[in-house]
């Protein structure tokens, strides 16, 4: 720095060369394009709500068949399963046996998630998967569905502890064709940190209930340290997102990565504990208690129970951060739980919850 200052006061051949070099570097730097921070994806927003179907009793799960025209819908307390067409036609298709919903000594439970096989066609492949609570445990089971009725009940993953309303319950096939399962810690927080336990986890399994190849610990576990996760969805880049009900202060929206520890019971929300993975966003319980989520154009939509609203959370250009959360319809439709994106359309189906026998609805929410 001293030599350059001296040369600018007393020009010389050496000083002129230095100045020329500096000028060239400055011009080159100014010519470089400025890289802006990745912007949030413009993914539209909810634009009005219409009632698709009435007469429901605590719908818990909505999952479309591969044909994209019909969804299967589970009712938590009646343990019944219905098909629902895009024109609103509702048909009873069966029940999941051995389901024990409330009331009972151990608290809430019942028929939870549903996931048709990715290759279901009603003929060669009739497999549909459910998660439910029995008198003694939570199970993942397989049944056959030919497009008309359910039959052939077969447990594929048993021994998941049940407890209160910490049962997880969401199941979904990922882009890799393996079944992902959310489990609660059954009111026993220490289980969430035990990698040998299937409770307080997101599991990744085959159609026969075995650990999927490539799982991080050689067992069923894909991620751990969860309290009560109930939502799963993949964005367009194949990243897995989950929502999780916290205890007192923070509910969580997490980007799920293989083998990661999401902190419970050491952490609730963001913390600095070593080895823990922080959520990408949190919700306060009075506006949250997130139930499930769906993705439309790389925007996450989260249904909420106590918060009684639909949250919109955009994913920014990095895919590692989230934009500003906004909420829609607070208090208008009551508690919201079941949610699914309609295949091939920018539209959500959202189920109300706990409005009383026969009073719940499936709502159609276009995204524009």
């Amino acid at each position: 720095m001293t030599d350059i200052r001296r040369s600018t006061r007393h020009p010389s051949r050496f000083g002129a060369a230095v100045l020329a070099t500096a000028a060239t570097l400055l011009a080159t730097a100014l010519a470089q394009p400025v890289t802006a921070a990745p912007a949030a994806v413009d993914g539209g927003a909810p634009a009005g709500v219409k009632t698709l179907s009435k007469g429901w009793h605590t719908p818990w799960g909505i999952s479309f068949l591969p044909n994209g025209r019909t969804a299967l819908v589970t009712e938590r307390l009646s343990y019944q399963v219905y098909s629902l067409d895009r024109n609103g036609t509702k048909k009873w298709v069966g029940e999941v046996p051995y389901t024990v919903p409330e009331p009972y000594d151990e608290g809430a439970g019942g028929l939870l998630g549903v996931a048709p096989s990715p290759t279901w066609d009603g003929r060669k492949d009739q497999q549909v998967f459910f998660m439910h609570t029995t008198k003694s445990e939570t199970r993942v089971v397989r049944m056959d569905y030919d497009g008309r009725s359910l039959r052939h009940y077969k447990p594929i993953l048993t021994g998941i502890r049940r407890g209160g309303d910490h049962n997880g319950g969401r199941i979904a096939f990922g882009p890799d064709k393996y079944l992902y399962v959310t489990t609660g810690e059954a009111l026993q927080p220490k289980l969430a940190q035990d990698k040998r336990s299937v409770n307080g986890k997101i599991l990744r399994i085959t159609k026969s209930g075995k650990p999927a190849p490539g799982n991080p610990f050689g067992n069923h576990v894909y991620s751990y340290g969860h309290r009560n996760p109930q939502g799963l969805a993949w964005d367009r880049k194949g990243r897995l997102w989950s929502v999780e009900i916290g205890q007192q202060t923070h509910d969580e929206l997490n980007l799920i990565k293989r083998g990661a520890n999401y902190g419970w019971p050491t952490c609730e929300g963001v913390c600095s504990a070593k080895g823990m993975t922080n959520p990408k966003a949190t919700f306060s319980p009075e506006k949250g208690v997130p139930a499930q989520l769906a993705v439309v154009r790389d925007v996450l939509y989260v249904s909420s129970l106590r918060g009684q609203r639909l949250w919109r959370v955009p994913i920014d250009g990095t895919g590692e951060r989230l934009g500003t959360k906004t909420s829609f319809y607070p208090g208008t439709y009551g508690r919201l739980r079941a949610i699914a994106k309609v295949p091939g359309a920018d539209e959500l189906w959202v189920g109300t919850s706990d409005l009383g026998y026969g009073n719940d609805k499936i709502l159609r929410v276009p995204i524009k």
Side-chain angles (χ1 to χ4, degrees):
M1 182 63 72
T2 302
D3 290 340
I4 294 176
R5 285 176 180 170
R6 188 178 296 126
S7 67
T8 58
R9 293 187 184 123
H10 305 285
S12 64
R13 289 181 180 179
F14 173 74
V18 170
L19 288 174
T21 301
T24 300
L25 291 173
L26 178 62
T28 301
L30 292 174
Q32 297 299 315
V34 177
T35 303
V41 175
D42 182 9
V49 176
K50 295 182 179 179
T51 297
L52 174 66
S53 180
K54 299 179 179 179
W56 294 87
H57 182 39
T58 60
W60 201 99
I62 301 173
S63 187
F64 276 87
L65 296 168
N67 62 26
R69 300 185 302 272
T70 304
L72 294 179
V73 183
T74 58
E75 288 188 336
R76 182 171 75 87
L77 297 180
S78 72
Y79 50 93
Q80 306 302 301
V81 184
Y82 296 85
S83 68
L84 183 63
D85 291 343
R86 290 170 71 161
N87 63 8
T89 300
K90 173 185 176 182
K91 295 179 181 178
W92 178 80
V93 300
E95 66 180 45
V96 177
Y98 311 109
T99 303
V100 179
E102 60 184 344
Y104 60 84
D105 293 341
E106 292 84 6
L111 177 56
L112 306 174
V114 53
S117 165
T119 54
W120 180 94
D121 60 8
R123 298 181 301 276
K124 292 182 179 179
D125 185 353
Q126 298 185 4
Q127 295 181 340
V128 177
F129 298 80
F130 299 94
M131 192 168 180
H132 72 126
T133 57
T134 69
K135 187 176 181 179
S136 60
E137 64 181 4
T138 301
R139 295 176 178 174
V140 179
V141 303
R142 185 175 68 226
M143 297 185 73
D144 289 336
Y145 175 58
D146 60 3
R148 296 179 298 275
S149 62
L150 289 169
R151 62 188 188 281
H152 300 153
Y153 173 94
K154 180 178 178 58
I156 65 165
L157 182 60
T158 59
I160 305 169
R161 296 190 189 186
R162 61 172 301 166
D165 56 359
H166 293 205
N167 296 303
R170 182 74 167 96
I171 57 176
F173 280 95
D176 57 6
K177 310 304 181 185
Y178 291 111
L179 185 63
Y180 290 72
V181 179
T182 70
T183 67
E185 33 82 307
L187 298 177
Q188 299 182 52
K190 65 180 182 180
L191 295 179
Q193 289 296 317
D194 182 354
K195 294 191 285 286
R196 298 167 299 176
S197 169
V198 290
N199 282 89
K201 308 295 189 298
I202 293 177
L203 311 176
R204 178 173 171 265
I205 65 175
T206 68
K207 289 183 178 181
S208 63
K210 303 297 183 183
N215 282 357
F217 311 114
N219 56 12
H220 296 84
V221 175
Y222 187 74
S223 64
Y224 66 110
H226 298 287
R227 182 177 182 268
N228 190 22
Q230 294 192 359
L232 291 175
W234 287 263
D235 63 25
R236 289 190 291 188
K237 293 186 178 180
R239 295 174 294 233
L240 175 59
W241 298 85
S242 178
V243 285
E244 180 169 338
I245 299 173
Q247 186 175 35
Q248 298 292 339
T249 56
H250 295 291
D251 303 310
E252 299 181 358
L253 175 54
N254 288 306
L255 176 59
I256 302 299
K257 296 188 176 181
R258 176 183 179 274
N261 181 354
Y262 289 84
W264 180 253
T266 302
C267 303
E268 181 185 358
V270 175
C271 76
S272 58
K274 184 178 180 180
M276 308 300 182
T277 301
N278 282 324
K280 296 299 182 182
T282 60
F283 304 87
S284 61
E286 65 273 11
K287 295 182 179 180
V289 187
Q292 297 178 22
L293 78 161
V295 181
V296 180
R297 282 186 266 160
D298 277 346
V299 174
L300 305 174
Y301 291 91
V302 180
S303 58
S304 68
L305 296 167
R306 186 187 301 177
Q308 299 187 11
R309 65 194 67 201
L310 180 67
W311 284 99
R312 178 189 186 274
V313 191
I315 306 170
D316 77 1
T318 68
E320 294 287 332
R321 296 194 298 269
L322 298 176
T324 303
K325 305 190 303 287
T326 52
S327 68
F328 294 80
Y329 321 120
T332 303
Y333 301 101
R335 291 160 64 89
L336 302 177
R337 186 192 296 275
I339 187 170
K341 181 190 179 296
V342 178
D346 290 339
E347 179 178 298
L348 299 168
W349 285 5
V350 182
T352 68
S353 186
D354 308 301
L355 293 179
Y357 187 85
N359 292 328
D360 284 309
K361 302 175 181 178
I362 305 295
L363 306 173
R364 173 183 282 153
V365 184
I367 306 298
K368 296 182 179 179

